[in-house]
Amino acid sequence: MRLYKSRLSRASILIWGICAVQTMLILSDVWPFSVESRFYHHGLEALTTAAIVVIAGATWATLQNQAAHKEMIFSAKLLTYGVLFCAFGDIVNFNLLQHTYRYDPLIKHDYLIDSIYVFSVGYGLILWSGFLFLKQLSVSKLEVIGVVSAVSIVTLFSYLQMRLPGTGAYVSILAGFYALLVAQCASVALLLLIKATKIKLTKRYYLPVIGLLLATLADALIGQFWLFGNQGQGYFPLIRTINWFVYISSSLLIIQLPWVYHLFVTAQQRDECMQTETLTSD
């Protein structure tokens, strides 16, 4: 299993490197995002998201074949389907048909609203996977309610600040709902950090924590600078490029969660065996 994990980790680093190079080429104007080049960029980005789905699926398959903890395997399965739905959302956000101003006369890039239907399922599954791990960590319901409530209140106020006055109900409600949903990635990350102060954990534990925080950041960037930014015109394509790099970095870190789950369960089982051996020897 360690060999598979190492190969998948190297694959993740390679994908991140390709995304970083693409981002630098766009920002440096060596290979700018334009009408002429956008299909080439979209092709590379589609391959990038497909690779993330494959890595997540390979992780699930590896754990399914070599681990016995059913809830951990189910968590990996949820995560795989989560990033799959997010990949479909990416395709919607490519806006291949170049739609603008379909739902609201104030919001140019309102095609982003279409992707919410798929992204909300994707992040819902990712959050479900995260909460299963929190359950394994014995995080209390009181802690969950407290953190989720605090994050939701901050998110709601932030959303009301970025939303343009006069934005229609359809765009406002869907964008607000999605902002609250993805903000819960930060809730899961904060709960994981709170737990980290109480027990000793490996450094790998912090990878999905960073990934979940970046997921919330990526959504905030979309809302602030792509959907509502520049009086509804959006800072496009600059924000698209920056957001893509943050989002891919986030996804590659989040899909490390099943391995962290596995490490924790393995350590827990090892401690239980040692305790049993100690009691038996006594």
Side-chain angles (χ1 to χ4, degrees):
M1 185 179 291
R2 186 175 296 177
L3 178 62
Y4 285 110
K5 184 169 67 175
S6 177
R7 287 176 177 174
L8 293 174
S9 295
R10 286 198 293 269
S12 296
I13 293 170
L14 176 62
I15 296 303
W16 182 85
I18 292 170
C19 180
V21 170
Q22 182 186 13
T23 301
M24 287 188 290
L25 290 175
I26 294 172
L27 294 178
S28 63
D29 267 350
V30 173
W31 188 27
F33 186 90
S34 63
V35 175
E36 295 77 19
S37 68
R38 70 186 185 94
F39 284 107
Y40 297 105
H41 283 293
H42 290 328
L44 181 56
E45 289 161 356
L47 290 173
T48 300
T49 53
I52 291 172
V53 174
V54 169
I55 293 170
T59 300
W60 169 29
T62 302
L63 292 174
Q64 193 170 28
N65 292 330
Q66 301 187 35
H69 197 281
K70 291 183 179 180
E71 201 161 74
M72 176 182 63
I73 295 168
F74 183 57
S75 177
K77 178 181 179 179
L78 290 173
L79 200 61
T80 300
Y81 282 109
V83 293
L84 177 61
F85 273 96
C86 287
F88 292 141
D90 294 330
I91 295 171
V92 176
N93 279 352
F94 289 167
N95 192 25
L96 298 175
L97 299 178
Q98 295 292 278
H99 289 143
T100 53
Y101 296 114
R102 283 198 301 161
Y103 306 122
D104 199 299
L106 281 178
I107 309 298
K108 180 178 181 180
H109 301 282
D110 56 3
Y111 54 86
L112 294 166
I113 298 301
D114 292 332
S115 68
I116 288 176
Y117 290 102
V118 242
F119 271 120
S120 59
V121 176
Y123 276 108
L125 293 171
I126 289 169
L127 287 168
W128 187 358
S129 176
F131 278 110
L132 285 177
F133 184 42
L134 290 175
K135 179 184 174 184
Q136 184 67 35
L137 291 170
S138 301
V139 174
S140 70
K141 290 182 179 179
L142 187 62
E143 287 175 318
V144 172
I145 293 170
V147 170
V148 168
S149 299
V151 168
S152 297
I153 291 169
V154 171
T155 302
L156 186 58
F157 276 110
S158 299
Y159 174 71
L160 292 174
Q161 289 293 319
M162 78 169 71
R163 176 187 167 274
L164 291 177
T167 304
Y170 179 68
V171 171
S172 298
I173 292 171
L174 274 178
F177 158 75
Y178 187 64
L180 284 170
L181 176 69
V182 181
Q184 302 320 313
C185 289
S187 296
V188 174
L190 290 172
L191 288 164
L192 289 172
L193 286 174
I194 290 170
K195 193 64 180 180
T197 63
K198 300 176 182 178
I199 56 176
K200 187 176 180 181
L201 296 161
T202 63
K203 291 180 180 178
R204 195 184 186 105
Y205 177 89
Y206 296 97
L207 295 180
V209 172
I210 296 169
L212 289 163
L213 291 173
L214 287 177
T216 304
L217 174 61
D219 180 62
L221 289 172
I222 289 177
Q224 187 72 51
F225 299 107
W226 193 347
L227 190 64
F228 296 116
N230 194 21
Q231 295 302 304
Q233 295 292 303
Y235 297 96
F236 188 89
L238 176 61
I239 187 56
R240 183 195 180 282
T241 302
I242 295 171
N243 171 262
W244 181 256
F245 178 69
V246 175
Y247 163 72
I248 291 300
S249 300
S250 162
S251 299
L252 287 168
L253 292 171
I254 287 174
I255 61 174
Q256 302 304 313
L257 181 62
W259 292 118
V260 174
Y261 200 148
H262 172 68
L263 287 171
F264 180 78
V265 169
T266 302
Q268 203 173 40
Q269 291 172 343
R270 185 170 60 247
D271 290 343
E272 289 173 358
C273 288
M274 290 176 65
Q275 289 175 0
T276 303
E277 289 175 3
T278 302
L279 289 172
T280 305
S281 61
D282 290 344

